[in-house]
Amino acid sequence: MKSKILLVDDEEHILAGFKRNLRTQFDVFTAQSAKTALNLIHNDGPFSVIVSDFNMPEMNGIKFLSTAKEIAPDTVRMMLSGYTDLATTIEAVNEGNIFRILTKPCSPEKLISTLHAGIKQYQLITSEKELLEKTLKGTIKVLIEILATVNPIAFSRVSKFQKFIIPLCSLLKIHDKWELEIAILLSQIGLIGMPPDLLEKKYSGSALDETQERFYLSHPDIGKSLLDKIPRLERISEAISYQLYSFSKSEKNKNQSLYGQSIPIVSRILKVLNCFETLVSSGDSSEAAYKKMNENKDEFDPDVLIALDAALVGIYNNLILQTISISDIEPGVVAATDIKDKYGLVLITKGAEITQTHKIKLLNYVKLGHLDEWIKILK
């Protein structure tokens, strides 16, 4: 099978020439703008290599490749440019993690040999990552099966968390899904020594006394101390240690070391899943549990709460959560929350498609100062 490559240049004749010279050896995709290229990465990726021109309208090659890195971090990125000054080179390497910088004009032979080098690099990256994922996940699953026999109450939660992995990764644009998978598998490991009756009491909704509550709240730190002994699990160990952290600062949690976006995204997801599952296991319906959490928003990352809601009602397929200016909305996107004016009047309900008429209405409310310009959508 031919390796997929993406060539990006605003000059059509250059792309046509590249395609003629490369199509026998590679599966070639082309784009005349950064916007078109980003859509191709979303819809037709992953690509082994992306080659971008530097001087393009709207978004230059450095900005485009930097954005592409966030979407497809394993893809090898190259830049083709007539600009070869040192400042441009340094910026390209720092911002976009560029594998090679080619100068115009570039001969077909030079481009082909460089593409083969890029594909080899891509294969090294993906094969090592695949090996690491399979080895770690396999080892951890065996560990969890053993631990689950010791404390089945604690580890029954893990299987309930797992159903949310795919929708939350999709909605929140999490590319390293395996990291969240392993963090979920290991998230309850610190409960291994907890008495079953204490956990039954906690998960039934009964209040723990001060000593019991302190004992229960220590499980993330216990989990971290156990996982710190396993190589390559440093990020996961850290995420597990923060899994009960509140999102916003308050008098109750003033001793936390991190708040807000500084808390790892995996930790913020585990915080939401822990609370949701505790409420459900104590007798609340999914809807009632979400409503309670939504009434206590300071505890949770609002984007993760929205993603959980979307996953619960099943509207996450092929959608991602975005915060966007109303002026940039494309008709057809879905409102991720109720869109309300400053008086609390619902203008568009959660889950509704935003039409061109809706957009005009919202823009008018913004002009009048009755609505914030930024809203959350599912696109």
Side-chain angles (χ1 to χ4, degrees):
M1 183 184 293
K2 295 177 183 176
S3 297
K4 290 168 64 174
I5 64 170
L6 173 60
L7 306 173
V8 188
D9 197 303
D10 60 323
E11 297 187 48
E12 186 176 2
H13 71 280
I14 291 178
L15 291 177
F18 282 151
K19 199 162 188 175
R20 282 194 304 272
N21 290 315
L22 302 175
R23 63 188 176 188
T24 60
Q25 299 190 48
F26 311 101
D27 187 6
V28 182
F29 289 71
T30 60
Q32 283 187 253
S33 71
K35 183 177 180 180
T36 302
L38 292 173
N39 285 333
L40 284 172
I41 295 169
H42 273 296
N43 299 324
D44 296 288
F47 294 96
S48 299
V49 179
I50 299 172
V51 183
S52 173
D53 183 32
F54 170 73
N55 191 22
M56 296 188 295
E58 296 182 7
M59 185 185 294
N60 69 28
I62 296 173
K63 178 63 176 174
F64 161 65
L65 290 173
S66 178
T67 305
K69 180 182 69 171
E70 296 176 8
I71 301 170
D74 295 338
T75 296
V76 173
R77 295 164 297 279
M78 303 182 187
M79 196 166 71
L80 185 62
S81 175
Y83 296 85
T84 57
D85 62 274
L86 181 60
T88 300
T89 302
I90 292 172
E91 186 180 2
V93 172
N94 289 342
E95 296 296 325
N97 286 136
I98 310 299
F99 177 70
R100 293 281 193 277
I101 297 179
L102 301 170
T103 56
K104 291 183 177 180
C106 180
S107 68
E109 295 78 16
K110 175 67 173 175
L111 181 57
I112 289 170
S113 66
T114 307
L115 285 170
H116 280 301
I119 289 166
K120 185 176 180 180
Q121 176 70 8
Y122 175 76
Q123 291 169 343
L124 285 171
I125 292 169
T126 52
S127 61
E128 182 182 352
K129 187 174 180 181
E130 184 180 6
L131 177 62
L132 174 62
E133 289 180 21
K134 287 182 177 179
T135 302
L136 278 177
K137 284 167 71 175
T139 304
I140 288 163
K141 282 182 179 178
V142 171
L143 175 64
I144 293 303
E145 286 172 8
I146 295 170
L147 294 175
T149 63
V150 178
N151 197 330
I153 296 174
F155 292 95
S156 66
R157 291 165 70 84
V158 169
S159 61
K160 295 171 183 176
F161 289 175
Q162 286 177 308
K163 65 183 178 182
F164 292 106
I165 292 172
I166 293 175
L168 292 182
C169 284
S170 173
L171 288 156
L172 297 169
K173 297 181 285 184
I174 296 174
H175 306 295
D176 288 330
K177 185 180 75 171
W178 74 276
E179 220 174 64
L180 180 59
E181 288 177 327
I182 293 176
I184 281 177
L185 281 171
L186 294 171
S187 61
Q188 309 301 302
I189 197 170
L191 293 170
I192 190 64
M194 297 281 170
D197 58 337
L198 187 152
L199 293 180
E200 286 181 0
K201 186 177 180 182
K202 175 70 177 179
Y203 299 148
S204 68
S206 302
L208 303 181
D209 64 36
E210 187 176 340
T211 301
Q212 291 173 327
E213 184 69 16
R214 188 164 56 249
F215 189 28
Y216 175 79
L217 293 177
S218 69
H219 85 80
D221 290 332
I222 295 171
K224 183 178 188 304
S225 68
L226 293 171
L227 297 176
D228 278 344
K229 298 174 175 64
I230 302 176
R232 302 224 180 183
L233 286 186
E234 293 84 1
R235 281 164 55 92
I236 291 168
S237 169
E238 181 185 42
I240 286 172
S241 73
Y242 299 133
Q243 66 179 297
L244 299 183
Y245 271 31
S246 301
F247 188 72
S248 300
K249 189 172 185 178
S250 67
E251 185 62 28
K252 185 176 69 174
N253 60 48
K254 62 183 179 182
N255 294 324
Q256 280 184 199
S257 56
L258 298 175
Y259 299 93
Q261 301 294 331
S262 298
I263 303 170
I265 181 62
V266 171
S267 309
R268 288 177 261 149
I269 290 172
L270 287 173
K271 168 74 174 179
V272 166
L273 294 181
N274 271 301
C275 185
F276 177 76
E277 181 51 38
T278 298
L279 289 169
V280 170
S281 65
S282 66
D284 283 332
S285 66
S286 295
E287 294 78 9
Y290 178 79
K291 185 177 180 182
K292 285 182 179 178
M293 293 169 68
N294 203 42
E295 290 169 353
N296 195 18
K297 288 182 179 179
D298 288 349
E299 283 289 305
F300 312 103
D301 180 338
D303 285 353
V304 179
L305 264 188
I306 292 168
L308 173 68
D309 185 37
L312 289 172
V313 298
I315 60 172
Y316 69 86
N317 291 330
N318 299 315
L319 297 175
I320 56 174
L321 178 66
Q322 290 185 336
T323 301
I324 191 170
S325 168
I326 292 171
S327 59
D328 293 333
I329 286 176
E330 297 174 4
V333 300
V334 175
T337 61
D338 286 342
I339 300 175
K340 302 177 182 180
D341 69 9
K342 68 178 184 179
Y343 304 108
L345 177 68
V346 177
L347 305 177
I348 300 176
T349 57
K350 176 181 65 181
E353 183 177 305
I354 301 177
T355 64
Q356 182 63 29
T357 303
H358 285 142
K359 179 177 178 178
I360 293 170
K361 177 182 177 180
L362 295 177
L363 286 172
N364 286 335
Y365 271 74
V366 171
K367 290 177 183 175
L368 292 169
H370 292 175
L371 181 67
D372 186 72
E373 180 185 356
W374 296 88
I375 63 171
K376 295 184 184 295
I377 60 160
L378 298 169
K379 181 178 178 183

